[in-house]
Amino acid sequence: MNNPSRPSRSWTVLQATQQSPTLARLAELAADSTARLHCIAPLLPPALRKSVKAGPVEDAVWCLVVDNNAVASKLRQLLPALMAQLRIKGWAVTEIRLKVSRET
């Protein structure tokens, strides 16, 4: 049965994000994180690019999600160059955190 107090209209994700300030902010943060990853991608070794994913942004701290500890170890060596690239492109980044994904 239909609930008369609840509209039976379907929304796209885009419409929902435009109607909700919270969802709009989340979409903005996700887009920002993805843009950051695209910015640093040329600095990543080609063999590692598929193992690095954009993570959350909190103020001036950005998180990268990596597939395993070996990738994290290599990226730790590249962090100064990655941060410099982001700053050159206009992002005020003070730290990049690395999070190893636990997916199997």
Side-chain angles (χ1 to χ4, degrees), residues 21-89:
T22 303
L23 289 177
R25 179 68 179 143
L26 287 173
E28 179 184 311
L29 288 171
D32 180 56
S33 186
T34 300
R36 292 174 189 222
L37 183 59
H38 287 294
C39 175
I40 65 160
L43 301 177
L44 301 175
L48 297 184
R49 289 180 188 158
K50 290 184 179 183
S51 299
V52 180
K53 293 160 189 67
V57 176
E58 295 178 26
D59 300 320
V61 178
W62 181 40
C63 181
L64 289 172
V65 180
V66 298
D67 286 349
N68 56 56
N69 288 326
V71 174
S73 179
K74 180 60 180 174
L75 286 185
R76 278 188 203 92
Q77 298 171 4
L78 298 174
L79 287 179
L82 301 180
M83 289 177 57
Q85 176 71 3
L86 290 168
R87 288 185 189 124
I88 288 169
K89 296 297 184 176

